[in-house]
Every structure is written in C-alpha cells, then in structure tokens.
Amino acid sequence: MTNLKKMTGGAAMVEAAKANGIDTVFGLPGAQTYPIFDALHGTPEIKTVITRHEQGAAYMAYGYAKATGKPGAFSVVPGPGVLNASAALCTAAGGNVPLLCMTGQVPSQFLGSGRGHLHELSDQAGTLRTIIKYADRIDNPVNSFKQMNEAFRVMLSDRPGPVSLEMCWDTMAQDWEVEVETGNTQIDLPELDEDSLAAAADLIATSKNIMIMSGGGAQHASKEVRELVSTLGATATSLRSGRGVVSEDSDWGVSSAAAMELWESTDLLIGIGSRLEMQYMRWLSMMEYHDKPPENGPKLIRIDVDPKEMIRLKPHVGVVADAKIGVSALIEKVIKRGFKMGDLDRVKSAKAKAHNDIQEIQPQLAYLDVIREVLPRDGFFVEELCQAGFTSYYGFPIYEPRTYISSGFQGTLGYGFPTALGAKVAMPDRAVVSIIGDGGFLFAMSEMASAVQHNIGLVTIIFNNSSFGNVRRDQQERFNSNFIGADLVNPNFLKISEAFGVDGHSISHPTELKPILSRALENNRPAIIEVKIERGTEASPWKYIHKTVVAPDS
Ligand SMILES: Cc1ncc(C[n+]2csc(CCOP(=O)(O)OP(=O)(O)O)c2C)c(N)n1
C-alpha cells in the first residue's frame, strides 16, 4: 500500500532528502525556494546553516561531505544562485564528492518561454549536466521520493559526484498527496573480474619495489589499503585527495616528496582510486597526455571504479572495482600467489632524505610544523592555493583518512575557508584548521558572518604576503618581473575580525603561533590568526611537487 502524505513540493524535497540521511542543509533562501526553507523551519532533525553567498553554501556542503564521506546538501535559488555555487560544484565533480543541490525554477507556465522570469536560465538542468553527474526537475511532486532516491543512487554509484534537483516555483509552493518512501539503498558497483585480479597478482609476484598511490577513491578503503601495504611492504603515498588513507608516520607511509625519491627505483606502481596526476602529469609532463601503458617507468596496475580511467591512462593491468572490494580481493590473491617483501631501509632513508631536503621551504615549513604539533591526529587540515598550502602537500604529515581536505585537481582558489566551515559544522567535536592566503581568503570572507552567527569554531590562519604570491613569483621567474595583478592592498585583518565578532590575532614569527593556536582550538570559537609575511620572501614550494623548479600555478 502506498503511503500518501499531504505536503508542499518543497516539503517533499526536504522529507525525501531526510529519508536519504541528510541531516544538515547549507543554504540561502529566495522566492522560488521559500517552501524548501519553510519545510526546513519545521524539520528540527535537519540543521540549517544560512550563508552569505551561494558559493559559501555549496563549499560548506563540500566540506561537510569531504570530512564525513557522506553526501553534503545545499539549497540555493535558481539561475544566479546556482551559478554562484558552480565553482564548488565543479570542484566536487572533479573530486568525486557526493553533493545534493536543491533549487527552484521559473513558474511552470514560463518554462522554456524565454520571457525573462526571475532568475531564468534557458536550460538550467542542461547547463548543470555539463558540470555535474546528474540534474533533473521534479515536475510531479507526488513522485518526489522516487526522483530523490534516483538522484542519490546516481550520486553514490560507481564514481560518486554532485547531483541537482529543481522544482518550478508554483509546483514547489502547492500542496500535493506525496508518495512517501524510504530512502535509496541501491549503490551500483562494477563486478569484480577474476582474470584481471590474477594478472595483478602475477605482476606483484615479480616486482620488488612497489609503490601504492592512493587517491580520493580510496578514502573509504583505508583499512584494506593499509593491510595491502603492510602485507607487501609497499611504499604508500598520495598527493592530496588520498592523504591519510595510509598514515605518514607508519612504516611504509611516505610523503609525496619522499615518494619522488623512491620513484626511480620503483618497479611497480599500484594506483588505487587515483588519476595518478602526481606520477604522470606532475613528475613527467603537465603538457603531455599519456594514453599508452608507460614504457620506461615502472609497470602500472590500476584499481579504479571507473572503466573509462583504464582508457584515459592505460595500465598494464586494470582492475575495475570499488577500492574496498578490489583491494580486499587482491590481498587474498597475492597471499596465495606469493610476493617479495619490500625493503624497509630503502623507505626509511628516502623519508629521512626528503625530510632533510624540504627544510629549505621556509618560512612555510616552520609554521606548518607548529600546526602539526598542535592539531590532534584526527583534526582536520584544510589546505588552499597558497604558499603554505602547496608546501603542505608534502610538508604536513597526515595520519587519518579524510583529515586533509583539498580542492583536488580544480585548484579552486578561495574554496578553503567556507569548505573548512562546512567541515567544522559536520565535525563540531574535532579540531579544524583552515590555512589560506590573503588573496584566497577575500573570496569568501563574508562567511565570517556565518561563522559567528552559527558559532562555528573554526580556526583560520591567513598567510598575508600582500600579494597573489604564486602569480607574483611566476611573473618574476617567467615574465621578467612584469608584475600585473599580483600585488594586493589588503584590509586590516585584526579590525575585520573585530568588526565581524571573530577572535583576531596577528603574528609575524612561527614561535608566536603555538600558544595562540592552542588557545584558539581550545576556545572552539571562530578565530582568525593573521601571519604577516614580507611580500616575495617565501621559498618556492614547487620543486618537491614537480620535478622542475618552475611549475604551473596549482
Ligand atoms: C578560482 C581560481 N582563480 C585563480 C586561480 C589562480 N591562482 C592560483 S594561486 C593564486 C594566488 C593565490 O594568492 P594567495 O591566496 O594570496 O596565496 P599566496 O600564493 O600569496 O600564498 C592564483 C590567483 C586559481 N587557482 N583559482
């Protein structure tokens, strides 16, 4: 028997999202979406966090999803609201992050008319489909649960990603007899292919120095990857999205800088849920497309849920599988087949050398060392496109899954502060530190108001070098110091903190950071720590990310 319940279209969207486990919605209301917010008002099980700009809502949902591994949700008005959120959507799409966007539309009679109704886009869902995994409109709210469940199935199946559901203004406001259902339970994953697993085990059996590269697609498989690593004695590394899958203070876990040391003597690379950008774009060439199995380097095994990945970068052996399932099965196979244990001394000396070498990246490393000392092992660290952020790729050890949050390959300047706010909303009892440049911070600075309004105890460290420092150094090195659009005149960050009601601090030496950061984390209130740095004085972090000194800007 169907369970019918009378409610508005907006309430149907909220109820169906709740049935799918959504417990927090970030958003900014407007005329078309009033019924969604009215429903949220009457739904205490869902926490509603209001932001000052749609980018803030979408980034916070992104941070929520990155920190928890669960879908993040946000609601914004259509048209400009959705487009304001689009940088977060493309960042989430790039990083396979499950996000739900709930939005509105023009009144149904106006659909496709081009009349110019409030917030009209000629084809909003079509526009979104070029960016995200799935976008649809609920025309008959009676079916809201069915359509929401389908959106969640698509969002979480295979390679996860963002989805959007919209509803017309009039439809969302009217009452309907809605068919209430339980949330989606179906997640589609590829079937394991025994032959490819056997071929992978064969390759492993004949290899000695194995490197395992984890990407974002391995975050939920940390237990299995750690087991594979310690079974084989394989070096385990990652660049950004896969950090923490294997702890960098475990025997075989190494930073990407130490992995670079080990690369030449590696005879087999196993990529798990990773595009392998580090090895084949950054370490070889950012400009060259590698679509054949690599000829001169190590042999390549890829374990990836997306069969298209096996075409984009062809491995010697491709295992199309979810990381958890694929790695578990591989462990069984290699134990039966036999393997050569890796050499721990080789890994230890690469770690020591890399640690020693990177000390030259100052002052960033000195600040990062203090943050690592103060931040608990399970605390979250949200990087940014700034000198300290790039240095953190290899100069800030990560120990636990999901605790290093990045914007992945999109390199989305300005995402960091609002993303970190979302992570803190999701994990209020764990420490969250956002590091960001002065340039990046001003992208979403208005969300300081949201931090205060919702008492989000995030600590943000702004590295103020009075410039888009990375651009500035590129212009210095590659364009004969023809500086344009690089130097910045900044507001006074202490006064801004005070004006917003945020605890503000300003320091200019790493030794000043420890007591201030410790206290700020203890207070669990919104806090800003400005780090003053003289323009143009930071060491370039790039040579430990690329194998060359000069590098693209992200
Ligand atoms: C959305 C977006 N716009 C522009 C860029 C290009 N970009 C990369 S780093 C950077 C400068 C960052 O300046 P800041 O945040 O102050 O950090 P700094 O490099 O000075 O440490 C710019 C403009 C980008 N990556 N993303």
Side-chain angles (χ1 to χ4, degrees):
M1 210 182 76
T2 40
N3 181 9
L4 295 177
K5 201 171 157 196
K6 192 168 172 179
M7 61 182 95
T8 65
M13 285 176 97
V14 170
E15 287 292 314
K18 192 175 85 182
N20 279 284
I22 295 299
D23 61 9
T24 307
V25 173
F26 302 91
L28 202 161
Q32 295 91 342
T33 58
Y34 284 157
I36 290 181
F37 285 85
D38 189 53
L40 287 170
H41 181 264
T43 310
E45 305 92 317
I46 297 184
K47 184 182 171 93
T48 304
V49 177
I50 300 302
T51 64
R52 296 307 178 98
H53 187 286
E54 285 89 1
Q55 67 167 343
Y59 284 132
M60 285 189 210
Y62 174 77
Y64 176 102
K66 287 288 272 187
T68 59
K70 297 191 299 187
F74 68 95
S75 179
V76 294
V77 296
V82 162
L83 294 180
N84 278 341
S86 59
L89 285 174
C90 79
T91 306
N96 311 307
V97 174
L99 282 193
L100 170 69
C101 166
M102 293 184 285
T103 188
Q105 243 306 355
V106 297
S108 48
Q109 283 176 321
F110 284 77
L111 271 178
S113 73
R115 178 77 181 87
H117 210 289
L118 180 68
H119 304 335
E120 180 174 331
L121 284 184
S122 62
D123 181 5
Q124 178 168 268
T127 303
L128 282 170
R129 274 184 216 115
T130 67
I131 306 173
I132 60 177
K133 206 174 170 189
Y134 173 94
D136 202 3
R137 190 172 58 245
I138 303 178
D139 286 323
N140 182 358
V142 171
N143 301 321
S144 296
F145 280 69
K146 273 195 185 60
Q147 282 191 255
M148 186 68 80
N149 286 358
E150 174 60 5
F152 271 80
R153 186 191 67 75
V154 174
M155 177 208 284
L156 296 168
S157 287
D158 301 318
R159 197 170 179 150
V163 300
S164 171
L165 280 176
E166 64 185 38
M167 200 183 269
C168 286
W169 190 334
D170 51 331
T171 319
M172 196 189 280
Q174 284 161 26
D175 276 333
W176 303 83
E177 290 290 336
V178 174
E179 286 184 9
V180 174
E181 294 180 16
T182 51
N184 170 64
T185 50
Q186 189 186 337
I187 296 177
D188 304 331
L189 295 172
E191 256 180 48
L192 257 187
D193 168 39
E194 287 295 324
D195 290 348
S196 66
L197 275 176
D202 282 348
L203 249 188
I204 289 170
T206 55
S207 306
K208 170 94 175 82
N209 295 326
I210 302 176
M211 180 181 289
I212 291 184
M213 174 73 190
S214 298
Q219 282 292 353
H220 65 295
S222 168
K223 186 174 153 280
E224 292 76 10
V225 177
R226 287 177 186 210
E227 194 184 329
L228 179 66
V229 163
S230 56
T231 302
L232 297 177
T235 309
T237 195
S238 55
L239 178 64
R240 291 171 305 224
S241 304
R243 296 195 66 195
V245 169
V246 176
S247 171
E248 276 164 57
D249 66 353
S250 64
D251 279 352
W252 303 99
V254 305
S255 71
S256 52
M260 201 191 274
E261 288 292 325
L262 292 162
W263 180 240
E264 294 300 326
S265 56
T266 295
D267 54 4
L268 174 64
L269 177 69
I270 307 178
I272 305 176
S274 164
R275 292 177 307 108
L276 302 170
E277 170 187 317
M278 181 165 90
Q279 285 85 357
Y280 298 104
M281 290 165 82
R282 295 193 179 265
W283 290 355
L284 288 176
S285 165
M286 208 64 181
M287 297 301 171
E288 212 177 301
Y289 187 61
H290 303 276
D291 57 349
K292 289 199 281 293
E295 274 164 22
N296 298 320
K299 291 274 189 287
L300 176 62
I301 295 174
R302 299 190 68 184
I303 301 176
D304 202 290
V305 77
D306 183 356
K308 285 199 196 111
E309 276 302 305
M310 306 303 171
I311 297 162
R312 294 180 184 127
L313 173 66
K314 208 170 158 49
H316 296 95
V317 176
V319 178
V320 177
D322 166 75
K324 214 175 168 64
I325 298 168
V327 173
S328 296
L330 185 60
I331 294 169
E332 251 182 62
K333 275 263 180 326
V334 293
I335 289 174
K336 277 197 198 131
R337 175 73 178 76
F339 55 88
K340 298 187 197 91
M341 189 72 182
D343 174 1
L344 190 55
D345 287 338
R346 171 179 166 266
V347 176
K348 270 190 188 154
S349 55
K351 273 186 172 189
K353 177 167 188 319
H355 179 78
N356 206 35
D357 288 352
I358 65 172
Q359 298 309 315
E360 63 180 314
I361 311 301
Q362 298 296 352
Q364 301 97 300
L365 207 65
Y367 285 106
L368 291 172
D369 282 348
V370 177
I371 302 170
R372 184 64 280 179
E373 195 189 333
V374 175
L375 188 70
R377 285 184 77 84
D378 70 349
F380 291 91
F381 178 92
V382 184
E383 57 88 90
E384 248 282 345
L385 285 282
C386 65
Q387 301 315 294
F390 297 132
T391 308
S392 77
Y393 286 11
Y394 52 83
F396 188 88
I398 295 294
Y399 310 129
E400 300 294 338
R402 301 194 192 286
T403 56
Y404 185 82
I405 297 180
S406 92
S407 59
F409 77 78
Q410 286 292 1
T412 321
L413 186 62
Y415 88 98
F417 173 57
T419 294
L421 287 171
K424 184 65 183 171
V425 168
M427 297 288 189
D429 300 329
R430 281 163 70 176
V432 184
V433 169
S434 157
I435 61 149
I436 193 160
D438 47 326
F441 182 69
L442 263 77
F443 274 46
M445 189 183 86
S446 54
E447 302 306 342
M448 284 171 88
S450 314
V452 172
Q453 187 160 345
H454 296 281
N455 194 23
I456 306 171
L458 169 72
V459 180
T460 304
I461 305 176
I462 304 171
F463 288 86
N464 178 7
N465 55 15
S466 305
S467 57
F468 286 129
N470 214 64
V471 172
R472 191 175 196 282
R473 200 188 37 251
D474 284 342
Q475 292 176 347
Q476 187 176 353
E477 290 175 354
R478 294 191 242 162
F479 296 90
N480 205 22
S481 293
N482 291 334
F483 297 126
I484 178 165
D487 293 348
L488 301 174
V489 176
N490 279 322
N492 180 321
F493 289 106
L494 274 181
K495 284 192 176 163
I496 285 203
S497 304
E498 195 191 339
F500 274 95
V502 167
D503 296 342
H505 310 270
S506 186
I507 62 171
S508 48
H509 198 273
T511 50
E512 296 169 82
L513 182 58
K514 190 173 171 184
I516 292 173
L517 178 59
S518 309
R519 220 174 318 120
L521 286 173
E522 232 171 77
N523 290 342
N524 210 12
R525 284 198 304 265
I528 296 288
I529 303 171
E530 176 198 22
V531 173
K532 284 191 187 145
I533 290 175
E534 204 181 314
R535 184 185 285 155
T537 57
E538 287 149 296
S540 170
W542 287 106
K543 70 179 191 187
Y544 298 108
I545 300 173
H546 291 250
K547 285 188 157 180
T548 57
V549 179
V550 179
D553 71 357
S554 66

